[in-house]
Coordinates of all heavy atoms in Angstrom, one line a residue:
M1 N 114.8 94.4 103.0 CA 113.7 94.3 104.0 C 112.9 93.0 103.7 O 112.6 92.3 104.6 CB 112.8 95.5 103.8 CG 111.6 95.6 104.8 SD 112.2 95.6 106.5 CE 110.8 95.0 107.4
R2 N 112.7 92.7 102.4 CA 112.0 91.5 102.1 C 112.7 90.3 102.6 O 112.2 89.3 103.0 CB 111.7 91.5 100.6 CG 110.8 90.3 100.2 CD 110.5 90.3 98.8 NE 109.6 91.4 98.4 CZ 109.3 91.7 97.2 NH1 109.9 91.1 96.2 NH2 108.4 92.7 97.0
K3 N 114.1 90.4 102.4 CA 114.9 89.2 102.8 C 114.8 89.0 104.3 O 114.7 87.8 104.8 CB 116.4 89.5 102.4 CG 117.2 88.3 102.4 CD 118.6 88.5 101.9 CE 119.4 87.2 102.0 NZ 120.8 87.5 101.9
I4 N 114.8 90.0 105.1 CA 114.7 89.9 106.5 C 113.3 89.2 106.9 O 113.2 88.3 107.7 CB 114.8 91.2 107.2 CG1 116.3 91.7 107.0 CG2 114.5 91.1 108.7 CD1 116.5 93.2 107.4
L5 N 112.3 89.7 106.2 CA 111.0 89.2 106.4 C 110.9 87.7 106.1 O 110.4 86.9 106.9 CB 110.0 90.0 105.6 CG 108.5 89.8 106.0 CD1 108.3 90.4 107.4 CD2 107.6 90.4 105.0
N6 N 111.5 87.3 105.0 CA 111.6 85.9 104.6 C 112.3 85.1 105.6 O 111.8 84.0 106.0 CB 112.2 85.7 103.2 CG 111.2 86.0 102.1 OD1 110.0 86.0 102.3 ND2 111.8 86.3 100.9
N7 N 113.4 85.6 106.1 CA 114.2 84.8 107.1 C 113.3 84.7 108.4 O 113.3 83.6 109.0 CB 115.5 85.6 107.5 CG 116.5 85.4 106.4 OD1 116.4 84.5 105.5 ND2 117.5 86.2 106.4
L8 N 112.6 85.7 108.7 CA 111.8 85.7 109.9 C 110.7 84.6 109.7 O 110.4 83.9 110.6 CB 111.2 87.1 110.1 CG 110.9 87.5 111.5 CD1 112.1 87.6 112.3 CD2 110.2 88.8 111.5
L9 N 110.1 84.6 108.5 CA 109.0 83.6 108.3 C 109.6 82.2 108.4 O 109.0 81.3 108.9 CB 108.4 83.9 106.9 CG 107.5 85.1 106.8 CD1 107.1 85.3 105.4 CD2 106.3 84.9 107.7
T10 N 110.8 82.0 107.8 CA 111.4 80.7 107.8 C 111.6 80.3 109.3 O 111.3 79.2 109.7 CB 112.7 80.7 107.1 OG1 112.5 81.3 105.8 CG2 113.3 79.3 106.9
F11 N 112.1 81.2 110.0 CA 112.4 81.0 111.4 C 111.1 80.5 112.1 O 111.1 79.5 112.8 CB 113.0 82.3 112.1 CG 113.2 82.1 113.5 CD1 114.3 81.4 114.0 CD2 112.3 82.7 114.4 CE1 114.5 81.2 115.4 CE2 112.5 82.6 115.8 CZ 113.6 81.9 116.3
F12 N 110.1 81.2 111.9 CA 108.8 80.9 112.6 C 108.3 79.6 112.1 O 107.8 78.8 112.9 CB 107.8 82.0 112.4 CG 108.0 83.1 113.4 CD1 108.3 84.4 113.0 CD2 107.8 82.9 114.7 CE1 108.5 85.4 113.9 CE2 108.0 83.9 115.7 CZ 108.3 85.2 115.2
N13 N 108.4 79.3 110.8 CA 108.0 78.0 110.3 C 108.7 76.9 110.9 O 108.2 75.8 111.2 CB 108.1 78.0 108.8 CG 107.0 78.8 108.1 OD1 106.0 79.0 108.6 ND2 107.3 79.1 106.8
N14 N 110.0 77.1 111.1 CA 110.8 76.0 111.7 C 110.5 75.8 113.2 O 110.6 74.6 113.6 CB 112.3 76.3 111.6 CG 112.7 76.1 110.1 OD1 112.0 75.5 109.3 ND2 113.9 76.7 109.8
T15 N 110.1 76.8 113.9 CA 109.9 76.6 115.3 C 108.5 76.4 115.7 O 108.2 75.4 116.4 CB 110.5 77.8 116.1 OG1 109.9 79.0 115.5 CG2 112.0 77.9 116.0
E16 N 107.6 77.2 115.1 CA 106.2 77.1 115.5 C 105.6 75.8 115.0 O 104.9 75.1 115.7 CB 105.4 78.3 114.9 CG 105.8 79.6 115.5 CD 105.4 79.7 117.0 OE1 104.1 79.5 117.2 OE2 106.2 80.0 117.9
E17 N 105.9 75.5 113.7 CA 105.3 74.3 113.2 C 106.4 73.2 113.1 O 107.2 73.2 112.2 CB 104.7 74.6 111.8 CG 103.5 75.4 111.9 CD 102.9 75.6 110.5 OE1 102.6 74.6 109.8 OE2 102.7 76.8 110.1
D18 N 106.3 72.3 114.0 CA 107.3 71.2 114.0 C 107.1 70.4 112.8 O 106.0 70.2 112.3 CB 107.0 70.4 115.3 CG 108.2 69.6 115.7 OD1 109.3 69.8 115.0 OD2 108.2 68.9 116.7
T19 N 108.2 70.0 112.1 CA 108.0 69.3 110.9 C 108.1 67.8 111.2 O 109.1 67.2 111.3 CB 109.2 69.6 109.9 OG1 110.4 69.6 110.6 CG2 109.0 71.0 109.3
F20 N 106.9 67.3 111.4 CA 106.7 65.8 111.6 C 105.5 65.4 110.9 O 104.6 66.2 110.5 CB 106.7 65.5 113.0 CG 105.6 66.2 113.8 CD1 104.3 65.8 113.7 CD2 105.9 67.3 114.6 CE1 103.3 66.5 114.4 CE2 105.0 68.0 115.3 CZ 103.7 67.6 115.2
Y21 N 105.4 64.2 110.7 CA 104.1 63.6 110.1 C 103.8 62.3 110.7 O 104.6 61.7 111.4 CB 104.3 63.5 108.6 CG 105.4 62.6 108.1 CD1 105.2 61.3 107.7 CD2 106.7 63.1 108.0 CE1 106.2 60.5 107.3 CE2 107.7 62.3 107.6 CZ 107.5 61.0 107.2 OH 108.5 60.2 106.8
Y22 N 102.6 61.9 110.5 CA 102.1 60.7 111.1 C 101.9 59.6 110.1 O 101.4 59.9 108.9 CB 100.7 60.9 111.8 CG 100.8 61.8 113.0 CD1 100.6 63.2 112.9 CD2 101.1 61.2 114.2 CE1 100.7 64.0 114.0 CE2 101.2 62.0 115.3 CZ 101.0 63.4 115.2 OH 101.1 64.2 116.3
V23 N 102.3 58.4 110.4 CA 102.0 57.3 109.6 C 101.2 56.3 110.4 O 101.6 55.9 111.5 CB 103.3 56.6 109.1 CG1 103.0 55.3 108.3 CG2 104.1 57.6 108.2
R24 N 100.0 56.0 109.9 CA 99.2 55.0 110.6 C 99.8 53.6 110.6 O 100.4 53.2 109.6 CB 97.8 54.9 109.9 CG 96.9 55.9 110.3 CD 95.6 55.7 109.5 NE 94.7 54.8 110.3 CZ 93.5 55.2 110.6 NH1 93.0 56.3 110.3 NH2 92.7 54.4 111.3
I25 N 99.7 52.9 111.7 CA 100.1 51.5 111.7 C 98.9 50.7 111.2 O 97.8 50.8 111.7 CB 100.4 51.1 113.2 CG1 101.7 51.9 113.6 CG2 100.7 49.6 113.2 CD1 102.1 51.6 115.0
E26 N 99.2 50.1 110.1 CA 98.1 49.3 109.4 C 97.8 48.0 110.2 O 98.6 47.5 110.9 CB 98.6 49.0 108.0 CG 98.8 50.2 107.1 CD 97.6 51.1 106.9 OE1 96.5 50.5 106.9 OE2 97.7 52.3 106.7
R27 N 96.6 47.5 109.9 CA 96.1 46.4 110.6 C 97.1 45.2 110.5 O 97.2 44.3 111.3 CB 94.7 46.0 110.2 CG 93.7 46.9 110.7 CD 92.4 46.9 109.8 NE 92.1 45.5 109.4 CZ 91.2 44.8 110.2 NH1 90.7 45.3 111.2 NH2 91.0 43.6 109.8
N28 N 97.7 45.1 109.3 CA 98.5 43.9 109.0 C 100.0 44.1 109.4 O 100.8 43.3 109.2 CB 98.4 43.5 107.5 CG 97.1 42.7 107.3 OD1 96.7 41.9 108.1 ND2 96.5 43.1 106.2
D29 N 100.3 45.3 109.8 CA 101.7 45.6 110.3 C 101.9 44.9 111.7 O 101.0 44.6 112.4 CB 101.9 47.1 110.5 CG 102.0 47.8 109.2 OD1 102.1 47.1 108.1 OD2 101.9 49.0 109.2
K30 N 103.2 44.7 112.0 CA 103.5 44.1 113.3 C 103.1 45.2 114.3 O 103.3 46.4 114.1 CB 105.0 43.9 113.4 CG 105.4 42.6 112.7 CD 106.4 41.8 113.6 CE 106.6 40.4 113.0 NZ 107.8 40.4 112.1
C31 N 102.6 44.7 115.5 CA 102.2 45.6 116.5 C 103.4 46.4 117.1 O 104.5 45.9 117.1 CB 101.4 44.9 117.6 SG 100.5 46.0 118.7
F32 N 103.1 47.6 117.5 CA 104.1 48.5 118.0 C 104.7 48.0 119.4 O 105.7 48.4 119.8 CB 103.6 49.9 118.2 CG 102.4 49.9 119.1 CD1 102.6 50.1 120.5 CD2 101.1 49.8 118.6 CE1 101.5 50.2 121.3 CE2 100.0 49.9 119.4 CZ 100.2 50.0 120.8
C33 N 104.0 47.1 120.0 CA 104.4 46.7 121.4 C 105.4 45.6 121.4 O 105.8 45.0 122.4 CB 103.2 46.3 122.2 SG 102.4 44.8 121.6
N34 N 105.9 45.2 120.1 CA 106.9 44.1 120.0 C 106.4 42.8 120.5 O 107.2 41.9 120.9 CB 108.2 44.5 120.8 CG 109.0 45.6 120.1 OD1 108.9 45.7 118.8 ND2 109.6 46.5 120.8
S35 N 105.2 42.5 120.4 CA 104.6 41.2 120.8 C 104.9 40.2 119.7 O 104.9 39.0 119.9 CB 103.1 41.3 121.0 OG 102.5 41.6 119.8
G36 N 105.2 40.7 118.5 CA 105.5 39.8 117.3 C 104.2 39.5 116.6 O 104.2 39.0 115.5
K37 N 103.1 39.9 117.2 CA 101.8 39.7 116.6 C 101.4 40.9 115.6 O 102.0 41.9 115.8 CB 100.7 39.5 117.6 CG 100.8 38.3 118.4 CD 99.5 38.1 119.3 CE 99.9 38.4 120.7 NZ 98.7 38.3 121.6
K38 N 100.5 40.6 114.8 CA 100.0 41.7 113.9 C 99.2 42.6 114.8 O 98.5 42.2 115.7 CB 99.2 41.2 112.8 CG 100.1 40.6 111.7 CD 99.3 40.1 110.5 CE 100.3 39.5 109.5 NZ 99.6 39.0 108.3
Y39 N 99.2 43.9 114.4 CA 98.4 44.9 115.1 C 96.9 44.5 115.2 O 96.3 44.7 116.3 CB 98.5 46.2 114.3 CG 97.8 47.4 114.9 CD1 97.8 47.6 116.3 CD2 97.2 48.3 114.1 CE1 97.2 48.7 116.8 CE2 96.5 49.4 114.6 CZ 96.5 49.6 116.0 OH 95.8 50.7 116.5
K40 N 96.4 43.9 114.1 CA 94.9 43.6 114.1 C 94.5 42.6 115.1 O 93.4 42.5 115.5 CB 94.5 43.2 112.7 CG 95.0 41.9 112.2 CD 94.4 41.6 110.8 CE 95.0 40.3 110.3 NZ 94.6 40.1 108.9
V41 N 95.5 41.7 115.5 CA 95.1 40.7 116.5 C 95.7 41.0 117.9 O 95.5 40.3 118.9 CB 95.6 39.3 116.1 CG1 94.8 38.8 114.9 CG2 97.1 39.2 115.9
C42 N 96.4 42.1 118.0 CA 97.0 42.5 119.3 C 96.3 43.7 119.9 O 95.3 43.5 120.5 CB 98.5 42.8 119.0 SG 99.5 43.0 120.5
H43 N 96.8 44.9 119.7 CA 96.2 46.1 120.3 C 95.0 46.7 119.5 O 94.3 47.5 120.1 CB 97.3 47.2 120.5 CG 98.1 47.0 121.8 ND1 99.2 46.1 121.8 CD2 98.0 47.5 123.0 CE1 99.7 46.1 123.1 NE2 99.0 47.0 123.8
Y44 N 94.9 46.3 118.3 CA 93.9 46.9 117.4 C 92.5 46.8 118.0 O 91.8 47.9 118.0 CB 94.0 46.4 116.0 CG 93.0 47.0 115.1 CD1 93.2 48.2 114.5 CD2 91.9 46.2 114.7 CE1 92.3 48.8 113.7 CE2 90.9 46.8 113.8 CZ 91.1 48.1 113.3 OH 90.2 48.6 112.5
P45 N 92.0 45.6 118.4 CA 90.6 45.5 118.9 C 90.4 46.5 120.1 O 89.3 47.1 120.1 CB 90.5 44.1 119.3 CG 91.6 43.4 118.5 CD 92.7 44.3 118.4
D46 N 91.3 46.6 120.9 CA 91.2 47.4 122.1 C 91.2 48.9 121.7 O 90.3 49.7 122.2 CB 92.4 47.2 123.1 CG 92.2 47.9 124.4 OD1 91.1 47.8 125.0 OD2 93.2 48.6 124.8
H47 N 92.0 49.3 120.8 CA 92.0 50.6 120.3 C 90.7 51.0 119.6 O 90.2 52.1 119.8 CB 93.2 50.8 119.3 CG 94.5 50.9 120.0 ND1 95.7 50.9 119.3 CD2 94.8 51.0 121.3 CE1 96.7 51.0 120.2 NE2 96.2 51.0 121.4
Q48 N 90.3 50.1 118.8 CA 89.0 50.3 118.1 C 87.9 50.6 119.0 O 87.0 51.5 118.8 CB 88.7 49.1 117.2 CG 87.9 49.6 115.9 CD 87.6 48.4 115.0 OE1 87.5 47.3 115.5 NE2 87.5 48.7 113.7
K49 N 87.8 49.8 120.1 CA 86.8 49.9 121.1 C 86.8 51.3 121.7 O 85.8 51.9 122.0 CB 87.0 48.9 122.2 CG 85.8 48.0 122.4 CD 86.1 47.0 123.5 CE 86.9 45.8 123.1 NZ 87.4 45.0 124.2
K50 N 88.0 51.9 121.9 CA 88.2 53.2 122.5 C 88.3 54.3 121.5 O 88.5 55.5 122.0 CB 89.5 53.1 123.4 CG 89.4 52.2 124.5 CD 90.7 52.0 125.3 CE 90.6 51.1 126.4 NZ 92.0 50.7 126.9
G51 N 88.1 54.1 120.3 CA 88.2 55.1 119.3 C 89.6 55.7 119.1 O 89.8 56.9 118.9
K52 N 90.6 54.8 119.3 CA 92.0 55.2 119.2 C 92.7 54.5 118.1 O 92.2 53.5 117.6 CB 92.7 54.9 120.6 CG 92.2 55.8 121.6 CD 93.0 55.7 122.9 CE 92.5 56.5 124.0 NZ 93.2 57.7 124.2
V53 N 93.8 55.1 117.8 CA 94.6 54.5 116.7 C 96.1 54.7 117.0 O 96.5 55.7 117.5 CB 94.2 55.1 115.3 CG1 94.5 56.6 115.2 CG2 94.7 54.3 114.2
A54 N 96.9 53.6 116.6 CA 98.3 53.7 116.9 C 99.0 54.3 115.6 O 98.6 53.9 114.5 CB 98.9 52.3 117.2
V55 N 99.8 55.2 115.8 CA 100.5 55.9 114.7 C 102.0 56.0 115.0 O 102.4 56.0 116.2 CB 100.0 57.3 114.4 CG1 98.5 57.2 113.9 CG2 100.1 58.2 115.6
K56 N 102.8 56.2 113.9 CA 104.2 56.5 114.1 C 104.3 58.0 113.9 O 103.8 58.5 112.8 CB 105.0 55.8 113.1 CG 105.4 54.4 113.5 CD 106.4 53.9 112.5 CE 105.9 52.6 111.9 NZ 106.7 52.0 110.8
K57 N 104.8 58.7 114.8 CA 105.1 60.1 114.6 C 106.5 60.3 114.2 O 107.4 59.9 114.9 CB 104.8 60.9 115.9 CG 104.9 62.4 115.8 CD 104.7 63.0 117.2 CE 104.9 64.5 117.2 NZ 104.7 65.1 118.5
I58 N 106.7 60.8 113.0 CA 108.1 60.8 112.4 C 108.5 62.2 112.2 O 107.8 63.0 111.6 CB 108.1 60.0 111.1 CG1 107.6 58.6 111.3 CG2 109.5 60.0 110.5 CD1 107.4 57.8 110.1
S59 N 109.7 62.5 112.7 CA 110.3 63.8 112.5 C 110.9 63.9 111.2 O 111.6 63.0 110.8 CB 111.3 64.1 113.6 OG 112.2 65.2 113.2
E60 N 110.6 65.0 110.4 CA 111.2 65.1 109.1 C 112.6 65.5 109.2 O 113.4 65.2 108.2 CB 110.4 66.2 108.3 CG 109.1 65.7 107.8 CD 108.7 66.4 106.6 OE1 108.8 67.7 106.6 OE2 108.3 65.8 105.6
T61 N 113.0 66.1 110.2 CA 114.4 66.5 110.3 C 115.4 65.4 110.8 O 116.4 65.2 110.2 CB 114.5 67.8 111.2 OG1 113.7 67.5 112.4 CG2 114.1 69.0 110.5
S62 N 115.0 64.7 111.8 CA 115.9 63.7 112.3 C 115.4 62.2 112.0 O 116.1 61.3 112.3 CB 115.9 63.8 113.8 OG 114.7 63.5 114.4
A63 N 114.2 62.1 111.4 CA 113.6 60.8 111.0 C 113.4 59.9 112.3 O 113.3 58.7 112.2 CB 114.5 60.1 110.0
E64 N 113.4 60.6 113.4 CA 113.1 59.9 114.6 C 111.7 59.5 114.7 O 110.8 60.2 114.4 CB 113.4 60.9 115.8 CG 113.7 60.2 117.1 CD 114.0 61.2 118.2 OE1 115.1 61.9 118.0 OE2 113.2 61.4 119.1
E65 N 111.5 58.2 115.1 CA 110.1 57.7 115.2 C 109.6 57.6 116.6 O 110.4 57.1 117.5 CB 110.0 56.3 114.5 CG 110.2 56.4 113.0 CD 110.0 55.0 112.4 OE1 109.5 54.1 113.1 OE2 110.3 54.9 111.2
Q66 N 108.4 57.9 116.8 CA 107.8 57.8 118.1 C 106.5 57.1 117.9 O 105.7 57.4 117.0 CB 107.5 59.1 118.7 CG 108.5 59.7 119.6 CD 108.1 61.0 120.1 OE1 107.9 62.0 119.4 NE2 107.9 61.1 121.4
I67 N 106.1 56.1 118.8 CA 104.8 55.5 118.7 C 103.9 56.3 119.5 O 104.1 56.7 120.7 CB 104.9 54.1 119.2 CG1 105.8 53.2 118.3 CG2 103.5 53.5 119.2 CD1 105.3 53.0 116.9
K68 N 102.7 56.6 118.9 CA 101.7 57.4 119.7 C 100.4 56.7 119.5 O 100.1 56.1 118.5 CB 101.5 58.8 119.1 CG 102.7 59.7 119.2 CD 102.6 60.5 120.4 CE 103.9 61.4 120.6 NZ 103.9 62.0 121.9
V69 N 99.6 56.7 120.6 CA 98.3 56.2 120.5 C 97.4 57.4 120.6 O 97.3 58.0 121.7 CB 98.0 55.1 121.6 CG1 96.5 54.7 121.4 CG2 98.9 53.9 121.4
L70 N 96.7 57.8 119.6 CA 95.9 59.0 119.5 C 94.5 58.6 119.3 O 94.2 57.5 118.8 CB 96.3 59.9 118.4 CG 97.8 60.4 118.3 CD1 98.0 61.2 117.1 CD2 98.1 61.2 119.5
S71 N 93.6 59.5 119.8 CA 92.2 59.3 119.5 C 92.0 59.6 118.0 O 92.8 60.4 117.4 CB 91.3 60.2 120.3 OG 91.4 61.5 119.9
V72 N 91.1 59.0 117.4 CA 90.9 59.2 115.9 C 90.6 60.7 115.6 O 91.1 61.2 114.7 CB 89.7 58.3 115.4 CG1 89.4 58.6 114.0 CG2 90.1 56.8 115.6
K73 N 89.8 61.3 116.5 CA 89.5 62.7 116.4 C 90.8 63.6 116.4 O 91.0 64.4 115.6 CB 88.7 63.2 117.6 CG 87.3 63.6 117.2 CD 86.6 64.2 118.4 CE 85.2 63.8 118.5 NZ 84.6 64.1 119.8
R74 N 91.6 63.3 117.3 CA 92.9 64.0 117.5 C 93.8 63.8 116.3 O 94.4 64.8 115.8 CB 93.6 63.5 118.8 CG 95.0 63.9 119.0 CD 95.1 65.2 119.7 NE 96.5 65.8 119.6 CZ 97.5 65.4 120.3 NH1 97.4 64.4 121.2 NH2 98.7 65.9 120.1
L75 N 93.8 62.6 115.8 CA 94.7 62.3 114.6 C 94.2 63.1 113.4 O 95.0 63.7 112.7 CB 94.7 60.8 114.3 CG 95.5 60.4 113.1 CD1 97.0 60.6 113.4 CD2 95.3 59.0 112.7
R76 N 92.9 63.2 113.3 CA 92.4 63.9 112.1 C 92.8 65.4 112.2 O 93.3 65.9 111.2 CB 90.8 63.9 112.2 CG 90.3 63.2 110.9 CD 88.8 63.0 111.1 NE 88.5 61.6 111.0 CZ 87.4 61.1 111.7 NH1 86.7 61.8 112.5 NH2 87.2 59.8 111.6
K77 N 92.8 65.9 113.4 CA 93.2 67.3 113.5 C 94.7 67.5 113.2 O 95.1 68.3 112.5 CB 92.9 67.7 115.0 CG 92.4 69.1 115.2 CD 91.7 69.2 116.5 CE 92.6 70.0 117.5 NZ 92.1 69.9 118.9
E78 N 95.5 66.6 113.8 CA 96.9 66.6 113.6 C 97.2 66.4 112.1 O 98.1 67.0 111.5 CB 97.6 65.6 114.4 CG 97.5 65.7 115.9 CD 98.4 66.8 116.4 OE1 99.3 67.3 115.7 OE2 98.3 67.2 117.6
Y79 N 96.5 65.5 111.5 CA 96.8 65.1 110.2 C 96.6 66.3 109.2 O 97.5 66.5 108.4 CB 95.9 63.9 109.8 CG 96.0 63.5 108.3 CD1 97.2 62.8 107.9 CD2 95.0 63.8 107.4 CE1 97.3 62.4 106.6 CE2 95.2 63.4 106.1 CZ 96.3 62.7 105.7 OH 96.5 62.4 104.4
Y80 N 95.6 67.0 109.4 CA 95.3 68.1 108.6 C 96.4 69.2 108.8 O 96.9 69.8 107.9 CB 93.9 68.7 108.8 CG 92.9 67.9 108.2 CD1 91.8 67.5 108.9 CD2 93.0 67.5 106.9 CE1 90.8 66.7 108.4 CE2 92.0 66.6 106.3 CZ 90.9 66.3 107.0 OH 90.0 65.5 106.5
R81 N 96.8 69.4 110.0 CA 97.8 70.4 110.3 C 99.1 70.0 109.7 O 99.8 70.9 109.0 CB 98.0 70.5 111.8 CG 98.8 71.7 112.2 CD 98.8 71.8 113.7 NE 99.7 70.8 114.3 CZ 101.0 70.9 114.4 NH1 101.6 72.0 113.9 NH2 101.7 70.0 115.0
V82 N 99.5 68.8 109.8 CA 100.7 68.3 109.3 C 100.7 68.3 107.8 O 101.6 68.7 107.1 CB 101.1 66.9 109.8 CG1 102.3 66.3 109.1 CG2 101.3 67.0 111.3
K83 N 99.6 67.9 107.2 CA 99.4 67.8 105.8 C 99.7 69.2 105.1 O 100.4 69.3 104.2 CB 98.1 67.3 105.5 CG 97.9 66.8 104.0 CD 96.5 66.2 103.9 CE 96.2 66.0 102.4 NZ 94.8 65.8 102.2
S84 N 99.0 70.2 105.7 CA 99.1 71.5 105.1 C 100.6 72.0 105.3 O 101.0 72.9 104.5 CB 98.1 72.5 105.8 OG 98.5 72.6 107.2
N85 N 101.2 71.5 106.2 CA 102.6 71.9 106.4 C 103.6 71.3 105.4 O 104.5 71.9 104.9 CB 103.1 71.6 107.9 CG 104.4 72.2 108.2 OD1 104.9 73.1 107.6 ND2 105.1 71.6 109.2
V86 N 103.3 70.1 105.1 CA 104.1 69.3 104.3 C 104.0 69.7 102.8 O 105.0 69.8 102.1 CB 103.8 67.8 104.4 CG1 104.4 67.0 103.3 CG2 104.3 67.2 105.7
H87 N 102.8 70.0 102.4 CA 102.6 70.4 101.0 C 102.8 71.8 100.6 O 102.4 72.6 101.4 CB 101.3 69.9 100.5 CG 101.2 68.4 100.5 ND1 101.8 67.6 99.6 CD2 100.6 67.5 101.4 CE1 101.6 66.3 100.0 NE2 100.9 66.3 101.0
Ligands
ZN1 ZN1 100.3 45.0 120.7

């Protein structure tokens, strides 16, 4: 019975909580838009004005990367959710 319950929990963990994490694009990193410029001189000033931040959303299972522009508030929320999932 316990085994079934564990399997069930694993199943729910895999589906309900997507295993991905966010990595912030640092100011000195190349900008995500492929301009060849650094983030800090490209999209960063605009994002800062709008309270947004560019991040890489990385899947732990496929290592697939997606660029996301999230509000700082949203990222905080996601970050905590993902963090608690990872550790
Ligand atoms: Zn850019």
Side-chain angles (χ1 to χ4, degrees):
M1 184 61 203
R2 186 176 288 170
K3 198 176 176 194
I4 292 167
L5 195 67
N6 277 343
N7 284 345
L8 208 64
L9 285 174
T10 308
F11 176 75
F12 277 117
N13 281 340
N14 285 344
T15 51
E16 293 290 305
E17 290 185 52
D18 203 1
T19 47
F20 55 79
Y21 58 98
Y22 291 95
V23 176
R24 276 181 90 124
I25 296 178
E26 298 297 331
R27 287 158 43 91
N28 283 318
D29 287 347
K30 281 225 171 92
C31 193
F32 57 89
C33 68
N34 287 326
S35 64
K37 289 189 256 179
K38 284 182 177 180
Y39 180 43
K40 69 177 175 188
V41 293
C42 191
H43 277 82
Y44 179 77
D46 186 51
H47 285 170
Q48 207 181 30
K49 239 181 277 168
K50 294 173 181 166
K52 290 186 181 261
V53 66
V55 294
K56 277 188 236 173
K57 184 180 174 182
I58 304 172
S59 163
E60 281 208 314
T61 42
S62 66
E64 199 178 296
E65 289 185 13
Q66 268 180 296
I67 298 295
K68 294 267 177 192
V69 179
L70 301 176
S71 72
V72 174
K73 244 189 222 169
R74 167 88 195 282
L75 179 67
R76 241 174 242 147
K77 222 160 101 190
E78 296 282 349
Y79 177 70
Y80 285 129
R81 190 174 74 82
V82 171
K83 198 178 167 192
S84 63
N85 189 20
V86 166
H87 293 288

